[in-house]
Amino acid sequence: MRSFDHVNAGSIREAVELLGRHPGKAALMAGGTDLLTVLKDDILPAYPELVINLKTIPGLDTVEEDDKGLRIGAMARLAEIAASPPVRGGYGILAEAAASVGTPALRNMGTIGGNLCQDVRCWYYRYPHRMGGRMICRRKGKGPCFVLKGDSRYSAVLGAGTCFAVCPSDTATALAALDARVRVTGPRGDRSVPVRDLYGSHGITLEPGELVTEVLVPAPPEGARQGYLKFTEREPVDFAVASVAAVVLVVDGRCAGASIVLGGVAPFPYRARAAEERLEGRLLGPEDAREAAEAALREARPRGMNRYKVTVARELVRRALKGDG
Ligand SMILES: Cc1cc2nc3c(=O)[nH]c(=O)nc-3n(C[C@H](O)[C@H](O)[C@H](O)COP(=O)(O)OP(=O)(O)OC[C@H]3O[C@@H](n4cnc5c(N)ncnc54)[C@H](O)[C@@H]3O)c2cc1C
C-alpha cells in the first residue's frame, strides 16, 4: 500500500473542512473494509494524500426509533443493525439485508454509511495495479466498459448506460424499498437525499466534499408485509447475484400499495414499478405473484453471459411476493 496521511476527525464539521482543504485528494474511512482494499490494490489512478477516519466522531453510531421511524447514524455497524430489536421488529428487510453482508468480521467493522458508499465489485474495475497495471475503463473516466467485449456474468441486466457494474450494497436495496433517505453534510450545509437517488449510472451521486451522516427510515404503514431474498453463487459469503426487497401493504386481503426493489442487477437499486402497478388491488395469489415477477424483469437487457440473472431475479420476486422464500 502507498503511504498517506491519516487524521482522526473529531466532528462532522472537521471532516467536511478536511475534505475541502484537500479537494479530490482525501478519502473518508468508516470501517475501512472496502476502502483499504481499494487502496491496497491501487485500482484508481488518483490516490489520496489524506485518509479521514470517521470512527472518532462521537454520536454517529446510534440506532434510534421514534414515532416517525428509524434514525441510524452513518457509523452504526452492520452487526448492530442486524441485531437491533427496533430494526428487526418493524424494518425486518433492513435487518435481513445487513445480516446478509459478508462475514461476521465484516459486519462488525463495516458501517451502514460505508456499505451504502462502497465501490463497485466489477472485476475489470477492481483489477489490481500490481498485476500488470490497473484497467482504465469508462467508470474511471475514459476507455471502454470491458464488460461489453468481456465476461459479463455478474454485470447489469437493467438500467445500465455506459458502465455495466452493479450496485453491490445489500442495505441500499432494502433501504430503497423502505423509502429511506440519507442526510448528507457538505460545504454548503445539509441536504436529504432519497436512497433511490443516491446512485447514478456511474456510482454514488454525492457532491465533492460531502459525506453521509445519517439514514432516516420512515415507519412502514401498519399491516405492511416485508420480504428480502438474496441469491448468491457462494454460501455463506458473497455479494448478490440478484436480490429483492419488497414491502406490500395489504388491506382486506388485497394489495393497497407495493414497493419492490431489485439488487445486484442494475447500477442502482432498481425499482420495479411495473411489478408494483401489476399488484395494485390484487389478491396476491400465486398467479398475481407470477405476473408481477414477469413485469419486474420486462425491461431487462441481458448480455450473453448474464441471462441467468433475469431468471434468478424473476424467481426471487415471485417467491418474495408469495411469501415462500
Ligand atoms: C469478502 C467480502 C464480502 C462482502 N460481501 C458483501 C455483501 O454480501 N453485501 C454487501 O453489501 N457488501 C459486501 N461487502 C462489502 C462490505 O459490506 C463493505 O466493504 C462494507 O460494508 C463497507 O463499510 P465500511 O464501513 O468498512 O466502509 P469503508 O471501507 O470505510 O468505506 C467504503 C467507501 O465508502 C466511503 N464512505 C464511508 N463512509 C462514508 C460516509 N459516511 N459518507 C460518505 N462516504 C463514506 C469511503 O470513502 C469508501 O469509499 C463484502 C466485502 C468483502 C471484503
Side-chain angles (χ1 to χ4, degrees), residues 6 57 77 102 105 167 183 206 217 246-247 271 275 278-279 286 319-320:
H6 177 272
I57 301 178
R77 315 266 171 164
C167 174
R183 183 172 296 284
L206 293 182
V217 196
V247 180
R271 185 165 181 195
R278 183 68 194 73
L279 287 179
R319 290 186 190 190

Side-chain angles (χ1 to χ4, degrees), residues 100-103 154 168 170 230-241:
S100 82
V101 171
T103 59
Y154 301 121
D170 282 309
K230 171 178 172 181
F231 180 86
T232 61
E233 211 170 55
R234 241 175 10 149
E235 289 282 352
V237 181
D238 211 348
F239 291 87
V241 162

Side-chain angles (χ1 to χ4, degrees), residues 77-109:
R77 315 266 171 164
L78 296 169
E80 284 160 27
I81 293 167
S84 154
V87 181
R88 289 165 68 96
Y91 313 80
I93 54 174
L94 176 58
E96 285 179 53
S100 82
V101 171
T103 59
L106 283 166
R107 295 192 291 276
N108 281 326
M109 283 302 291

Side-chain angles (χ1 to χ4, degrees), residues 16-302:
V16 171
E17 277 172 11
L18 286 165
L19 286 173
R21 262 188 262 146
H22 301 264
K25 292 187 174 161
L28 298 168
M29 184 166 76
T33 61
D34 181 36
L35 180 75
L36 293 178
T37 317
V38 169
L39 298 186
K40 203 169 110 198
D41 287 341
D42 203 1
I43 62 172
L44 301 174
Y47 200 86
E49 58 191 24
L50 178 70
V51 168
I52 304 165
N53 179 18
L54 301 178
K55 287 192 284 296
T56 43
I57 301 178
L60 263 192
D61 58 354
T62 51
V63 181
E64 288 166 0
E65 190 187 27
D66 60 23
D67 53 352
K68 294 203 190 80
L70 276 181
R71 302 179 85 89
I72 306 176
M75 293 299 292
R77 315 266 171 164
L78 296 169
E80 284 160 27
I81 293 167
S84 154
V87 181
R88 289 165 68 96
Y91 313 80
I93 54 174
L94 176 58
E96 285 179 53
S100 82
V101 171
T103 59
L106 283 166
R107 295 192 291 276
N108 281 326
M109 283 302 291
T111 64
I112 187 93
N115 190 255
L116 289 172
C117 298
Q118 64 177 296
D119 218 334
V120 289
R121 288 278 153 179
C122 170
W123 49 25
Y124 297 111
Y125 179 83
R126 288 252 174 183
Y127 193 77
H129 190 47
R130 65 179 178 280
M131 293 171 69
R134 67 180 69 86
M135 299 181 79
I136 301 300
C137 66
R138 186 55 69 92
R139 196 179 185 93
K140 290 176 184 163
K142 54 185 178 188
C145 175
F146 292 103
V147 162
L148 290 173
K149 287 193 175 164
D151 188 323
S152 61
R153 81 184 83 162
Y154 301 121
S155 62
V157 294
L158 282 157
T162 53
C163 166
F164 284 77
V166 300
C167 174
S169 168
D170 282 309
T171 62
T173 309
L175 287 169
L178 288 164
D179 204 13
R181 304 177 77 88
V182 289
R183 183 172 296 284
V184 167
T185 302
R188 286 197 286 273
D190 283 5
R191 64 190 180 105
S192 159
V193 183
V195 169
R196 289 173 180 159
D197 297 341
L198 190 59
Y199 306 89
S201 56
H202 279 206
I204 209 94
T205 56
L206 293 182
E207 299 286 335
E210 286 186 331
L211 68 147
V212 173
T213 55
E214 201 175 32
V215 181
L216 305 162
V217 196
E222 193 111 350
R225 295 182 194 162
Q226 301 178 29
Y228 180 75
L229 294 177
K230 171 178 172 181
F231 180 86
T232 61
E233 211 170 55
R234 241 175 10 149
E235 289 282 352
V237 181
D238 211 348
F239 291 87
V241 162
S243 63
V244 58
V247 180
V248 181
L249 179 60
V250 182
V251 176
D252 297 332
R254 290 184 184 271
C255 172
S259 171
I260 300 173
V261 176
L262 304 181
V265 292
F268 39 79
Y270 179 86
R271 185 165 181 195
R273 283 184 190 276
E276 294 172 1
E277 285 163 14
R278 183 68 194 73
L279 287 179
E280 198 68 40
R282 294 298 181 117
L283 283 169
L284 294 172
E287 193 55 19
D288 299 316
R290 196 191 60 73
E291 287 179 17
E294 285 292 333
L297 274 300
R298 195 167 292 146
E299 302 288 315
R301 297 287 174 271

